[in-house]
Amino acid sequence: MDTNTLMIVALILIVIVALLAMAIKIANQWERAVVLFLGKFIGIRGPGLFFIVPFLSRVAYMIDLRVITTSFTAEQTLTKDTVPVNVDAVLFWQVIDVEKAALEVRDYQGSISLASQTALRDVIGKTILADMLTGREAIDAELQRLIGSRVSGWGIRILSVEIRDVIIPGALQDAMSMQAQAERERQARVILGDSERQIAEKFEQAAKSYENNPTALHLRAMNMLYEGLKGGQSTIVIVPSTALNTMTLGDTTGMIALAKTIETEKKVQKDTGQQGQQ
C-alpha cells in the first residue's frame, strides 16, 4: 500500500473512533438521559452504557432521580393579622416521571423554587401569627398540598415541606414576652387563690370536727404550741386571750403561774426561817 492509501485508512479509522466516542454515553445509577433524534423525543436511556447516533441524536437532559432539597424564603410577608414576618422553609422533592420533567417545564428546579415561594406567601397571608408559631405541622401539610397541586403535571412528587424559622420584629417579640409574663403571673394568682380556697374549706371542716369536742381542740392547741417550741430556740408567741379561753388554755396557764408563785414564796419563807434560827 502506498502512502496515500495509508493516510486515507488512518483518517477513516480516526473518524470511526471519533464517531464511536461520540455515540457512547454513560448514565449513572441515579440518572436518566433524555434522548432526542433530530429534535424529537425518542426515549429515556440509562442507567449504564447506551448509544446514540452522532450528529443526529443528542442527550438533552440528564435527570437526577434522587431526593433533592430546596431552600426557599418569604421576606417581609404580612400575616392575616398584618404582622410582617420572614419565614425560612425547606422542600424535599423527587422526580418520578422523567419525560414530563424534561418536556413539560423548561427549568423544573427553578420552577419548583418559585412555586414554593409563592405558595409560602399565600399560606402566610391566610394564617394569623399565633397559629404560625404554634401550629407549624398544619402549615407544613398545607404547603405540601398546595405545592404538590401546582407541580402535579411536571412529573415531580413533593415529599415534605418543613418551616425552619419564623422571624418577627423585635418590638413585637418584646410585647409578646411581656404578654407571656403577665399570663404566667395571672395563672400563678389563680392557683394561689384556689389554694387559699381549699385551705379555707379544710379549716371549715376541721372547725366542725372540733366544735363539739373541746378535748380534741385542746390537744390540737397543745400540739401546735409544742411544734412551735420544739426547735430549742426561745420564741415569743402573742396569742389573744379570747383564743386562749376558747382553747381552755387561759385557765391552765393561770393555774401553772399561780402554782409557781406559791412554790417560790414557800421557798423564800423557808430560807428566812433558817437564817433566823442561826
Side-chain angles (χ1 to χ4, degrees), residues 155-200:
I156 296 171
R157 178 176 60 188
I158 304 300
L159 302 178
S160 66
V161 183
E162 297 180 6
I163 293 179
R164 294 187 298 180
D165 193 14
V166 178
I167 302 175
I168 60 178
L172 182 58
Q173 291 183 13
D174 296 338
M176 294 177 65
S177 177
M178 296 175 60
Q179 181 182 1
Q181 293 178 3
E183 179 63 21
R184 286 194 294 268
E185 183 177 357
R186 184 188 68 83
Q187 293 179 359
R189 291 180 179 273
V190 170
I191 294 173
L192 179 60
D194 187 65
S195 300
E196 293 290 343
R197 179 185 59 80
Q198 295 179 9
I199 292 172

Side-chain angles (χ1 to χ4, degrees), residues 1 17 51 56 82 91 113 120 123 159 161-162 164-165 197 222 224 235 245 265:
M1 299 179 64
V17 171
F51 297 90
L56 298 180
T82 65
L91 173 69
S113 179
L120 179 58
V123 171
L159 302 178
V161 183
E162 297 180 6
R164 294 187 298 180
D165 193 14
R197 179 185 59 80
M222 297 299 295
M224 290 173 62
T235 305
N245 293 333
E265 290 178 355

